[in-house]
């Protein structure tokens, strides 16, 4: 089945048609800058543009950077606060004219990795961390997702919120060297490790492509691997999520 998978990020909104039986992209990936301010109206219009560029009228799955409970956004760390309480799936359906399913961006990236990527067939606990404007997490036990974990917002033992200390946005803003940022990420991953005892940690988002640059800083006993889909995991997983939901309705 083919579904348009869209990843709404802090800097770009990316979409590609995904073949859900393989997780492969069909045709090209299109990207539009995330509008600022990132309001329901402006993001909806950008999604509409992306849908038109793909000449798409079928099902859409969206990975969105917020806790999403039954299609409703509950948080808004890096998007406009007016999203809180909004039934985003219905809103984006109306704006695009397509049937839309929405879930947390890290959760769907994790789904792609568990189904077809680095977490495929891994028994036990897998923690997926997406590194971008925010720090997103997805936690799986034997392939089952515990949704909306939001572990990028925990306070580290230095008193700082993890996302404000070790995200890609912080690395950019503070112009940190890979080594210095790698130490920060390691601090975060060690904290996650001591709380959740994962069997595998998968890193997604933009920085996943650069793992060799900061791998020497990582001292977790848990193996840390890059996402198989790198920063495409969100688009692939969004389509897989929509397919899964379709089966339940
Ligand atoms: C949001 C999460 C999201 C993550 C990555 C965080 O700020 O709270 O919902 O998964 O950023 O985009």
């Amino acid at each position: 089945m083919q579904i348009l998978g869209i990843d709404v990020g802090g800097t770009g909104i990316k979409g590609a048609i995904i073949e859900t039986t393989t997780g492969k992209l069909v045709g090209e990936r299109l990207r539009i800058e995330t509008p600022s301010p990132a309001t329901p109206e402006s993001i909806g219009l950008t999604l509409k543009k992306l849908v038109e560029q793909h000449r798409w009228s079928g099902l859409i799955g969206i990975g969105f950077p917020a806790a999403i409970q039954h299609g409703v956004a509950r948080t808004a760390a890096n998007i406009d606060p007016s999203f809180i309480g909004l039934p985003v799936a219905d809103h984006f359906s109306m704006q695009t004219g397509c049937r839309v399913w929405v879930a947390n961006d890290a959760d769907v990236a994790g789904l792609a990795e568990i189904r077809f990527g680095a977490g495929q067939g891994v028994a036990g606990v897998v923690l997926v961390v997406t590194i971008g404007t925010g720090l997103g997490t997805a936690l799986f036990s034997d392939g089952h997702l515990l949704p909306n974990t939001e572990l990028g917002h925990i306070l580290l033992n230095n008193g700082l919120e993890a996302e404000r200390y070790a995200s890609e946005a912080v690395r950019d803003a503070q112009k940190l060297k890979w080594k210095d940022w790698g130490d920060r990420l390691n601090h975060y991953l060690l904290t996650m490790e001591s709380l959740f005892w994962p069997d595998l940690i998968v890193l997604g988002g933009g920085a996943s492509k650069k793992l060799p640059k900061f791998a020497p800083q990582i001292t977790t006993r848990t193996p840390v691997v890059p996402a198989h889909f790198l920063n495409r995991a969100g688009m692939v997983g969004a389509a897989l999520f929509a397919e899964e939901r379709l089966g339940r309705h």
Side-chain angles (χ1 to χ4, degrees):
M1 175 174 216
Q2 295 190 349
I3 295 182
L4 178 60
I6 297 181
D7 186 11
V8 176
T11 57
I13 299 184
K14 296 162 279 181
I17 297 164
I18 307 296
E19 174 53 58
T20 56
T21 48
T22 59
K24 296 225 161 84
L25 271 66
V26 180
E28 56 175 336
R29 177 196 91 134
L30 299 175
R31 178 186 188 277
I32 304 181
E33 295 284 299
T34 305
S36 174
T39 60
E41 189 59 28
S42 67
I43 292 202
L45 288 173
T46 310
L47 291 174
K48 185 163 184 267
K49 228 186 276 171
L50 204 58
V51 168
E52 284 167 2
Q53 286 177 1
H54 280 285
R55 298 199 175 78
W56 188 251
S57 56
L59 298 174
I60 302 179
I62 299 179
F64 196 74
I68 304 289
Q69 223 178 7
H70 313 297
V72 177
R74 297 296 184 196
T75 62
N78 295 304
I79 46 173
D80 195 83
S82 57
F83 269 108
I84 295 177
L86 188 78
V88 272
D90 293 347
H91 172 75
F92 293 148
S93 264
M94 236 151 58
Q95 280 194 307
T96 58
C98 297
R99 200 162 174 201
V100 172
W101 277 271
V102 182
N104 173 261
D105 55 354
D107 281 354
V108 297
L111 280 181
E113 290 301 315
I114 290 287
R115 184 87 60 85
F116 296 118
Q120 194 181 11
V122 176
V125 174
V126 177
L127 173 68
V128 179
V129 179
T130 63
I131 306 161
T133 308
L135 270 189
T137 56
L139 195 59
F140 294 84
S141 174
D142 289 333
H144 297 289
L145 171 72
L146 174 67
N148 293 318
T149 44
E150 294 291 325
L151 297 170
H153 297 293
I154 62 152
L155 289 186
L156 298 171
N157 63 3
N158 57 13
L160 296 175
E161 185 182 3
E163 174 168 299
R164 310 247 169 262
Y165 183 63
S167 67
E168 173 93 337
V170 168
R171 191 182 63 78
D172 272 355
Q174 301 186 9
K175 299 194 173 33
L176 295 173
K177 297 209 169 79
W178 284 107
K179 179 184 173 302
D180 297 332
W181 178 79
D183 286 337
R184 291 184 177 207
L185 184 72
N186 188 46
H187 183 163
Y188 176 62
L189 295 181
L190 287 172
T191 308
M192 289 291 99
E193 182 176 63
S194 66
L195 293 173
F196 297 101
W197 294 92
D199 295 285
L200 179 70
I201 297 175
V202 180
L203 298 184
S208 54
K209 284 189 275 195
K210 302 283 167 62
L211 183 55
K213 289 191 190 285
F214 58 89
Q217 313 314 122
I218 306 298
T219 62
T220 54
R221 74 185 81 192
T222 315
V224 175
V225 296
H228 165 80
F229 291 104
L230 299 170
N231 60 351
R232 296 181 164 200
M235 289 185 302
V236 175
L240 298 181
F241 173 75
E243 187 195 38
E244 203 180 285
R245 286 297 140 135
L246 184 67
R248 291 197 206 164
H249 286 77

